[in-house]
Amino acid sequence: MLLSKRAEMFLPGLWPAYFSRAKGCRVWDLDGRSYLDMSFAVGTSTLGYAHPAVDRAVQETVKKGTMCSLNCPEEVALAEKLTVLHPWAQMVRLARSGGEANAIAVRIARAASGRDKVAICGYHGWHDWYLAANLNSRKNLDGHLLPGLDPEGVPRELGGTVLPFRYNDFDELEALVRDHDIGVIKMEVSRNFGPQNNFLARVRRLASRKRIVLIFDECTSGFRETYGGLHLKYGVDPDMAMFGKALGNGYAITAVIGKREVMETAQKTFISSTFWTERIGPTAALKTLEVMKKKASWEVLTATGKKIISGWKELASRHQVSLEVSGIPAIPSFSFHGENALAYKTLVTQEMLKMGYLASSTVFVSVAHTAEIVEGYFHALNKVFQLIRECEQGRNVKRLLEGPVCHGGFKRLN
Ligand code: PMP
């Protein structure tokens, strides 16, 4: 179902894979074992699993009825909140998954610009419009989380409609715009590294000059470093933006927000779906927004993430292990270098699991990651880095592994 939850991505044959319960930072598997989760549900639950206030709001809504012939007022309240937080936007469409929100945004943007071609930078879901990037070369999405993907089932006629550019490579984007009739630029504000040389502002200026609709995909970056989109930090406004993941703290809700003149085009095309009108998603989002604001959760996530980053760097230097650290502070990642990189990553997951942690090489930080939990995590991780150091000095890492090495990314399951 979800690539990021595939057991083979963590610990083939040994990963617990299914859960019976989740609360705060703790997850229970089907055999009743419990773990502290340092991986954290691909980033949906920044307030912690089963947050009491959010769950209570949802339970109240369930009692009152979640669906009928009329619309729920919560969707209007949520739209108002999102446009107040992002004053450049006046209109909102709600959906339930990030991929859907991306497909909605691309449809509206293509209709608004009157041009088909989209320049992309980042991961934007599983739909045909996006995977079309790999029809001309299966390497096109290599730098965007989907290395080597074969776009089987995506109509070949879409080839050449979606063109990737590298983050911070303004010249590459400018050349795409010069050589193709680009109508839409869609990008993540920042994933692995921050903008350099005024990158975001230059993209904005280019888009405005060429009447290109600029879309920031904030499905993952939203509400982690600012109270809203990460673009608020950089002071660069897009024409449209999408939010997901953190917005509902684990309940399904995503949003597309945009400038009136762009969003109004939605009325000329057909974008509509039954369950975009159910009531649980916007109820959860409204309560999540309230709790996030009260806790200033984005500040907590960023501070904890910075501690995790410096903890990893400290371990790497203590044990003389070569390590690359990337990501915004609220979603830090590390990767090892060299031929044993994936084996070391697998070893981390295997040994941390034995010590009671669901932990790989990325942490989607949550406010449930208290200082005490982070301290315990580093105490455990220190022992694994000690092992890795021994491997660097000649010990065979494969002999330490109790199963196969984890997968490095998307792979066809033949
Ligand atoms: N856009 C971005 C930036 C994402 O990180 C993701 C999910 N990883 C998506 C879109 C797709 O969201 P979903 O998995 O909810 O369809």
Side-chain angles (χ1 to χ4, degrees), residues 19-28 49-50:
F19 81 105
S20 61
R21 203 181 147 218
K23 179 78 186 159
C25 193
R26 196 161 279 282
V27 170
W28 286 259
Y49 297 133

Side-chain angles (χ1 to χ4, degrees), residues 2 96-100 102 123-126 145 188 191 217-220 245 254:
L2 185 73
R96 293 295 178 279
S97 90
E100 278 181 331
N102 270 272
Y123 174 72
H124 305 301
W126 67 274
L145 296 192
E188 292 188 64
R191 184 175 277 268
D217 181 353
E218 298 255 20
C219 280
T220 290
K245 304 224 176 185
T254 56

Side-chain angles (χ1 to χ4, degrees), residues 15 40 44 51 63 82 93 108 142-144 179 187 241 280 298 325 339 344 348-349 381:
W15 188 242
F40 236 81
T44 55
H51 188 276
K63 275 191 228 150
L82 291 173
R93 278 268 170 158
I108 294 175
D142 278 15
H144 309 277
D179 299 341
M187 61 184 294
I280 291 176
W298 61 97
V325 176
E339 54 174 346
Y344 289 163
V348 167
T349 309
L381 194 61

Side-chain angles (χ1 to χ4, degrees), residues 122-173:
Y123 174 72
H124 305 301
W126 67 274
H127 292 73
D128 283 2
W129 79 263
Y130 175 63
L131 297 192
N134 264 22
L135 287 169
N136 289 6
S137 157
R138 58 192 287 258
K139 289 204 163 105
N140 273 347
L141 293 177
D142 278 15
H144 309 277
L145 296 192
L146 294 173
L149 179 94
D150 270 328
E152 299 269 327
V154 177
R156 286 179 208 297
E157 289 71 16
L158 294 179
T161 54
V162 175
L163 303 149
F165 62 97
R166 277 173 296 233
Y167 192 75
N168 273 333
D169 193 339
F170 183 74
D171 293 345
E172 188 178 28
L173 174 63

Side-chain angles (χ1 to χ4, degrees), residues 109-122:
R110 278 174 163 159
S113 75
R115 286 169 282 170
D116 291 343
K117 291 200 179 155
V118 184
I120 59 106
C121 178

